[in-house]
Amino acid sequence: MTPSELFVTAVGLAAIAWVNWYFFFARRSSVVAQAGGGLQRARIEVDNGYAPAVVRVRAGQPVRLEFHRVDGSSCTEEVVIPDFGIRRFLPNGQTTAVDFMPRAAGAHDFACGMGMVRGKIIVDE
């Protein structure tokens, strides 16, 4: 192999490693939803990802996730929460409320429409 071929191979392997780390192992911020008036609420900033990416809620109480989108990419223009049958368009520069009722403890993923930007809802008893 020539030095340039070795360089290109090393850069390619480094890029593959970074993508895997970013999507599968990077630390994500988390928040416990605040309860008030019987409704658990959490605000999620959508800007090249979800912040926080993990939301903890309690089972048996209604939840409102408020997605505030400031990212103009087409990837983040919708959020999908498959376990609750939710698919919602997120207009850029606006906050969109997503309401649901978690009935039992467990973990539920949410993602952009393409499944590349991801988060998690953890339901505690």
Side-chain angles (χ1 to χ4, degrees):
M1 257 187 186
T2 67
S4 62
E5 290 173 329
L6 286 172
F7 176 75
V8 169
T9 301
V11 169
L13 290 173
I16 290 169
W18 180 83
V19 166
N20 281 301
W21 170 81
Y22 181 81
F23 285 109
F24 300 113
F25 302 109
R27 250 193 149 158
R28 306 285 189 231
S29 60
S30 65
V31 68
V32 175
Q34 299 300 310
L39 182 66
Q40 302 175 86
R41 299 171 75 130
R43 181 179 170 96
I44 300 171
E45 191 82 10
V46 183
D47 188 11
N48 293 319
Y50 299 115
V54 178
V55 178
R56 295 188 85 88
V57 299
R58 298 197 70 67
Q61 296 177 4
V63 173
R64 173 170 291 159
L65 300 180
E66 297 169 346
F67 290 89
H68 181 72
R69 180 171 171 238
V70 295
D71 180 4
S73 74
S74 61
C75 181
T76 59
E77 67 186 8
E78 75 177 334
V79 65
V80 180
I81 311 173
D83 293 347
F84 297 104
I86 296 170
R87 178 178 291 267
R88 191 74 41 87
F89 179 74
L90 305 175
N92 196 20
Q94 296 182 27
T95 300
T96 304
V98 175
D99 298 332
F100 61 94
M101 173 69 81
R103 304 239 180 248
H108 308 278
D109 294 325
F110 63 92
C112 67
M114 293 187 253
M116 295 177 65
V117 178
R118 293 183 275 155
K120 187 174 293 287
I121 301 162
I122 299 174
V123 181
D124 298 321
E125 281 297 325

